[in-house]
Amino acid sequence: MKPSVEVLPDKAALIERSLVVVVERLESAIAARGQCTIALSGGGTPRPLYEALAQQPLPWDKVHVFWGDERYVPADHPDSNEGMARQAWLDHVPLPPENIHPMPTDEADPAVAAAKHAAQLQDFFGTAPGEFPQFDVILLGIGDDGHTASLFPHTQALQVCDRLVTVGNKDGQPRITFTVPLLNCARSVVFMVAGASKQAALDHIFAPTDDDNLYPARLVRPQQECLWLLDSAAGAKLSHEVA
Ligand code: 6PG
């Protein structure tokens, strides 16, 4: 399905719009299937969204929270995506602890942690080996370099298409990340992109042809919804129609 792009006047409007979009999709998933699954992105952009979600009257026992990627640090480390989401949101709502599914980062070998989390996902979704589960919502951001999740330019992780979870590599630092095919199975992928520093990457990402290995967010082409929410600083000068 062709991605859709919304350019919002500023970051506050981007956060407000992402809140409406996410709540709508979680509520419709609960209505349809009795529960919903959301995979969170890290970094700085989504934090205000997580703080806003903490104020929503959602049926928290029906919400399951995952992460699309994680830095290879303990949850109490300042770089932890899990820690950020817990501080901004999850510690402030009555979400049953068993509904929170963090990526393990306590194995000596990150590849073991990635395989462990893939097995946890398979177990939760009841999928067979080789089958990719459908998350209701996967939130993503992009770096100035065009990475998304922990799929960094010219890394091995970009080529992994037979597993749900793999090891990412940022400047030699290990990450755990959903793979491209898992991202592309989502019912709804929502990119949240703010700031002028993202303009150049967005131009390459939306160009009809460009280097997918150099701009990994180009690889995210879900069969279902792909919604790009940009603030005007990031998206006002987009020179391409969305590819
Ligand atoms: C991470 C993220 C990463 C993030 C981008 C954008 O673990 O850092 O998942 O993919 O979304 O780097 O980060 P900002 O929102 O801070 O610009």
Side-chain angles (χ1 to χ4, degrees), residues 1 4 7 25 32 39 70 90 119 140 151-152 157 173 190 196 216:
M1 182 189 277
S4 52
V7 180
R25 280 149 189 73
E70 186 56 277
L90 306 181
L140 292 173
L151 300 167
F152 289 91
Q173 293 305 311
V190 180

Side-chain angles (χ1 to χ4, degrees), residues 15-164:
I15 296 302
E16 184 51 40
R17 179 68 180 135
S18 62
L19 178 66
V20 169
V21 165
V22 168
V23 168
E24 261 176 14
R25 280 149 189 73
L26 295 184
E27 287 179 337
S28 62
I30 291 167
R33 289 175 292 281
Q35 68 175 23
C36 63
T37 54
I38 180 170
L40 306 182
S41 65
T45 303
R47 188 181 179 112
L49 166 63
Y50 301 160
E51 290 165 348
L53 281 165
Q55 307 305 318
Q56 295 301 305
L58 283 166
W60 295 111
D61 61 324
K62 297 181 173 57
V63 179
H64 285 269
V65 178
F66 302 77
W67 280 262
D69 73 314
E70 186 56 277
R71 291 83 183 278
Y72 210 67
V73 294
D76 60 0
H77 188 284
D79 289 350
S80 168
N81 291 338
E82 174 190 349
M84 183 271 275
R86 285 184 184 274
Q87 285 159 26
W89 169 20
L90 306 181
D91 291 350
H92 309 285
V93 294
L95 201 67
E98 63 273 18
N99 285 28
I100 301 173
H101 309 267
M103 290 182 153
T105 59
D106 53 357
E107 297 285 345
D109 179 355
V112 171
K116 190 167 146 186
H117 194 52
Q120 290 166 342
L121 295 181
Q122 220 164 289
D123 185 48
F124 176 84
F125 286 98
T127 46
E131 193 185 345
F132 291 90
Q134 266 197 313
F135 281 83
D136 292 306
V137 178
I138 297 183
L139 293 177
L140 292 173
I142 62 165
D144 297 356
D145 60 357
H147 82 260
T148 191
S150 283
L151 300 167
F152 289 91
H154 292 304
T155 57
Q156 180 54 34
L158 304 185
Q159 317 306 326
V160 177
C161 54
D162 60 348
R163 271 162 283 161
L164 305 184

Side-chain angles (χ1 to χ4, degrees), residues 148-225:
T148 191
S150 283
L151 300 167
F152 289 91
H154 292 304
T155 57
Q156 180 54 34
L158 304 185
Q159 317 306 326
V160 177
C161 54
D162 60 348
R163 271 162 283 161
L164 305 184
V165 185
T166 193
V167 178
N169 175 336
K170 178 179 185 176
D171 308 330
Q173 293 305 311
R175 302 277 193 95
I176 305 292
T177 186
F178 280 8
T179 58
V180 170
L182 180 55
L183 296 175
N184 284 335
C185 275
R187 289 190 176 87
S188 176
V189 169
V190 180
F191 280 94
M192 296 171 63
V193 184
S197 70
K198 308 288 171 80
Q199 271 177 21
L202 282 172
D203 246 352
H204 288 284
I205 291 163
F206 288 149
T209 55
D210 208 313
D211 184 347
D212 292 355
N213 272 306
L214 193 50
Y215 300 98
R218 291 178 58 84
L219 295 166
V220 180
R221 291 188 283 270
Q223 292 116 346
Q224 299 190 51
E225 180 180 48

